[in-house]
Amino acid sequence: MQIQDLPYPDPGSPDARSGPRFLWWLFRNQLGGQLKSLAWGLLHFGSVSVLPFCVGLAVQAVVDRSGHRLALAGALLAVCCVANAVGETFLHRTAITNWITAAARVQQLLARKAALLGSALTRRVAAGEVVAVSTGDVEKIGWFVEAVSRFTAAAVTIVLVCVGLVVYQPALGVVVAVGLPLLALAVLPLLPRATRRADIQREKAGRATELASDTVAGLRVLRGIGGEDLFLDRYRRASQEVRHAAVRSARMWSLISAIQVLLPGLLLIGVVWYGVRLAREGRIDVGELVTVYSSVMLLTYPLRHFEEIAMAYSFSRPSARRAARVLSLERATDTGGSRAAETPSGDLYDPATGLLAVAGRLTAVVCGDPDAAGLLAERLGGHPSEEGASVLLGGVPLDDLPLDSARTAVLVQDKDPVLLSGSLRELLDVPASGGVGAEEALAAAQCGDVLTALVQGSVDAEDPMDARITERGRSLSGGQRQRLALARSLVTDPEVLVLDEPTSAVDSHTEARIADGLRELRTGRTTVVFTSSPLLLDRADRVVLVHENEVVAVGVHRELVHKEPRYRAVVTRDTDAEAAEPEQGTTGSERADVLEAGDVPASGQAWSAGQALDTAEVLDALEEIEETA
């Protein structure tokens, strides 16, 4: 695999049982690139190791006044230099290719897992950890995969040089052959402590990243409640902990580096001292002494790769463990698509709660528990976070369909949809049936003021579709982001659209218009809206009350307000006692008349005495405001 061939057609199925197993799986899948890197590494390190022999040959030729051998030594030096240049160039090229392709493979695996799990991913793993794995951890893993081949080439070269020195000059060669392995193994007792410190640093850095991600995501809310300084102080403390851990880790690695400089120096001094004695005794030639001395000096270069591989493994192991943890996550119910790919149609039915969404109708679902509503919405989309009976669409279990088919048939928009950075045109460029255009969807979602704000905030964007959206739409208000996300969902035009609180951050007047636009645009299509807003409930064909994960009432908004105290309690945010006991001076029927008109703010504030208005007056006022606007 070359860089220009990325991304992979199929990144494979990783062994995510543990961090080391995942690293080994990556190595095996990079075997071709590893062998190329090993071959070029042997050429590079081998040519470097032969240089001392050429130098020794040249020195001995000068001592012996042999021009022929001096010319031969010069020719060998030239060949070694060319081989060194070629080997180092292609070693660097193949090693970096291994790094990038390994990192790309991991990123593809993470992206595929995120797409598979959907919103269930952030329910099971913190968003900050996912960010840390897909950025810094990917780099650390790629570094280790890249360093393995260079380390292997260095180790093989050291073994060959030791054997060659023993054959070339046994007296000094034995000293080098015994000393070099001791140098390579001298730092092993320090590696566990260095690894632990590196793990602590990575753990603290991961927590700091999670805290930073969560703080940035909630910055608007934090500023609103005056909690910005509090969370910034928490991040400062976390970052200081990371700094202290990094310093402690760096001290240990500095000690390891110092040892790897000191011990080869001592070995070099010992070799020179012993070699001089042998030369004075006439047991070796000057050229042989120069050859052995130069070999020991140059072997410190491949020895540095022992330190690098130790560091790479120490830093990549916790990264691989975190990546394996994310990649080991599975959907709660995943049959692998036992049925053929198809897009079923018909009624949407959840056997767990008894919820039935009639085909082609707008069904509103009222659920007193927001978390339970989110889980139910996920289950209706065919990708639940908990095991249970499969939702049926037209009698077909969604869990038995391939995931792509299930998501094509049912689109779920959760409470906090994400807006990706880019132009509005790119935001709305999603897989769609073609039945709903971008202008229609924007109009139905009441995005007129949003388009104006985007144009004003963009440079040289006359067409609103070319206006830029900042990362996660942070420059927009919560209601504006909700409306753009709703427009994106409407453009998709799925067979079944599930919306979880799509207007919770929108004012009442805009919400009423969105309810009308949604009903009109989705005519003939199945739409399920999880909401407690009377304005949306009043425009639904059917309203279903889910209490304690079970359907307890079905009807229309005005009927349920009169007859179902639990429904009235959820819609008005009253307690059960307040719902059962009308306020002083207002009868239950009078209060129901007010509620059925939808005269409750979208924020869900409780109805109170003195706010009662005649139903006809409320509706007439809304129509008058709409006509004026």
Side-chain angles (χ1 to χ4, degrees), residues 257-472:
S257 298
I259 291 175
Q260 293 221 320
V261 172
L262 175 64
L263 294 184
L266 295 177
L267 177 63
L268 190 61
I269 292 173
V271 168
V272 171
W273 176 78
Y274 185 54
V276 170
R277 287 188 57 188
L278 294 177
R280 291 178 64 182
E281 295 173 1
R283 295 169 59 182
I284 64 171
D285 297 330
V286 175
E288 292 175 336
L289 175 60
V290 171
T291 298
V292 176
Y293 165 78
S294 301
S295 296
V296 175
M297 184 175 63
L298 289 179
L299 281 178
T300 57
Y301 168 55
L303 274 174
R304 301 291 296 179
H305 289 78
F306 284 77
E307 176 192 354
E308 182 189 8
I309 195 65
M311 290 183 65
Y313 180 72
S314 297
F315 282 97
S316 66
R317 190 183 65 173
S319 297
R321 185 170 61 245
R322 293 178 5 152
R325 179 192 172 198
V326 174
L327 294 175
S328 64
L329 299 176
E330 298 292 343
R331 297 175 66 219
T333 55
D334 191 354
T335 62
S338 58
R339 299 176 67 97
E342 61 175 308
T343 305
S345 60
D347 296 344
L348 183 67
Y349 177 66
D350 176 31
T353 59
L355 173 63
L356 174 66
V358 179
R361 309 294 293 276
L362 173 59
T363 302
V365 180
V366 176
C367 187
D369 184 356
D371 293 333
L375 294 175
L376 178 55
E378 285 185 358
R379 191 159 64 247
L380 292 179
H383 38 92
S385 56
E386 300 176 353
E387 294 186 4
S390 174
V391 170
L392 306 177
L393 178 58
V396 177
L398 288 180
D399 291 346
D400 292 346
L401 291 174
L403 190 58
D404 290 343
S405 299
R407 289 180 172 173
T408 299
V410 183
L411 173 66
V412 179
Q413 177 182 305
D414 59 19
K415 290 185 180 69
D416 188 22
V418 175
L419 300 182
L420 301 178
S421 59
S423 67
L424 181 58
R425 193 185 310 277
E426 293 170 338
L427 176 70
L428 300 180
D429 184 17
V430 293
S433 66
V436 178
E439 293 184 0
E440 297 175 89
L442 291 169
Q446 299 299 307
C447 293
D449 64 313
V450 184
L451 300 182
T452 302
L454 288 175
V455 172
Q456 292 175 348
S458 301
V459 180
D460 300 330
E462 298 180 358
D463 187 350
M465 298 299 291
D466 295 326
R468 304 295 298 180
I469 299 174
T470 57
E471 191 264 337
R472 296 182 69 92

Side-chain angles (χ1 to χ4, degrees), residues 39-41 43-44 47 82-92 94:
W40 292 117
L43 177 62
H44 169 56
S47 60
V82 172
N84 181 26
V86 174
E88 184 173 13
T89 299
F90 284 94
L91 171 61
H92 179 76
T94 54

Side-chain angles (χ1 to χ4, degrees), residues 142-190:
W143 176 28
F144 174 74
V145 173
E146 174 264 337
V148 167
S149 57
R150 289 190 289 109
F151 163 73
T152 305
V156 171
T157 300
I158 289 174
V159 172
L160 293 177
V161 170
C162 289
V163 173
L165 288 177
V166 171
V167 174
Y168 176 70
Q169 177 43 252
L172 285 177
V174 171
V175 175
V176 176
V178 172
L180 283 178
L182 292 178
L183 295 182
L185 300 176
V187 297
L188 285 182
L190 300 177

